[in-house]
Amino acid sequence: MLTVALPKGELLKYSIRLLQSVGLDFSAFLDSGNRQLQITDANGKAQGLLVRAQDVPVYVEYGQAQLGIVGYDVLQEKKPQVAQLLDLQFGYCRMSVAVKASSTYRSPLDLPANGRVASKYVNCAREYFQNLDLPIEIIPLYGSVELGPITGMSEAIVDLVSTGRTLKENGLIEIATLYESTARLIANPLGYRLNTGNLNELISKLRAAMMVSV
């Protein structure tokens, strides 16, 4: 049976809506009283796994799920061995460098050599500043990274930005964008090649559904 890994959080309802359009119903995951992490589609065609967004590519890479839906930001940070099939065009956000609005920094290159940047996206941040040839100390934080510049622990942050409201309310501004992110459909490479669970047919239906929605 085909297994699909679905992300908890903001992307879940959009992912379920898309899958419903091609005949797979995992809407039970949206039921506030549901505590199941694995359910079977109402038509018995597939199983759904409800996992943290960061874990979606892990389940897909190791073959416990043949398909998954996850943000491009997770793929950029984790670099998993999965096949990226479709840009699903929802869940838009961007990975940005932000600093205190009251600072003199208006470009990443304005940051001091060996300065500090707080981020939960450690690999993306490190790669970005290495490409700028700017030596930076990356401070791993996994919640409220905005406090880095506010408290003086870091000169800047690298974080996902959607509306920018949180930055503004905390006196921060964006000074650069690393990349833009949307939800992506990913597949286990071997399962994709072997067409496990008639995977290719489902992918074709999802691609057609995306074309209709554009």
Side-chain angles (χ1 to χ4, degrees):
M1 182 181 290
L2 180 69
T3 301
V4 184
L6 297 173
K8 295 180 180 180
E10 288 295 314
L11 298 183
L12 181 60
K13 62 181 178 181
Y14 299 105
S15 301
I16 287 174
R17 189 181 304 160
L18 174 63
L19 291 170
Q20 283 177 320
S21 73
V22 295
L24 296 182
D25 186 2
F26 298 116
S27 57
F29 280 141
L30 297 176
D31 183 350
S32 60
N34 177 64
R35 293 294 181 268
Q36 291 179 287
L37 300 176
Q38 178 176 296
I39 62 175
T40 301
D41 157 61
N43 297 314
K45 296 179 180 178
Q47 286 186 330
L49 304 179
L50 183 61
V51 301
R52 289 185 62 192
Q54 292 86 347
D55 292 337
V56 167
V58 180
Y59 281 93
V60 173
E61 180 175 353
Y62 283 87
Q64 272 60 53
Q66 288 75 50
L67 280 181
I69 294 176
V70 68
Y72 180 68
D73 57 292
V74 175
L75 299 176
Q76 283 293 93
E77 177 67 14
K78 302 291 187 180
K79 297 288 196 288
Q81 298 299 307
V82 298
Q84 296 189 43
L85 304 179
L86 289 174
D87 180 349
L88 300 178
Q89 299 175 26
F90 58 78
Y92 171 82
C93 51
R94 55 193 179 274
M95 189 69 70
S96 295
V97 181
V99 298
K100 288 179 68 173
S102 59
S103 75
T104 59
Y105 311 127
R106 290 299 177 266
S107 161
L109 292 174
D110 293 337
L111 295 172
N114 300 311
R116 292 171 295 187
V117 174
S119 183
K120 61 174 67 78
Y121 297 90
V122 173
N123 295 327
C124 286
R126 182 177 292 116
E127 181 180 1
Y128 177 74
F129 285 102
Q130 284 177 345
N131 289 337
L132 291 179
D133 199 24
L134 181 62
I136 287 290
E137 178 186 354
I138 306 298
I139 300 175
L141 287 179
Y142 296 98
S144 302
V145 292
E146 295 85 4
L147 281 171
I150 292 172
T151 62
M153 184 169 67
S154 69
E155 280 76 29
I157 64 172
V158 170
D159 200 20
L160 276 183
V161 178
S162 179
T163 65
R165 179 179 174 183
T166 301
L167 292 180
K168 185 176 181 180
E169 289 181 350
N170 286 282
L172 304 180
I173 58 170
E174 296 173 74
I175 59 172
T177 299
L178 282 65
Y179 57 80
E180 297 181 329
S181 176
T182 49
R184 306 298 166 97
L185 180 72
I186 61 174
N188 175 270
L190 181 59
Y192 184 46
R193 287 198 298 272
L194 297 178
N195 194 27
T196 302
N198 207 13
L199 197 56
N200 292 339
E201 181 182 351
L202 178 59
I203 292 168
S204 295
K205 288 180 178 179
L206 287 167
R207 185 174 284 113
M210 290 303 303
M211 292 179 66
V212 169
S213 66
V214 171

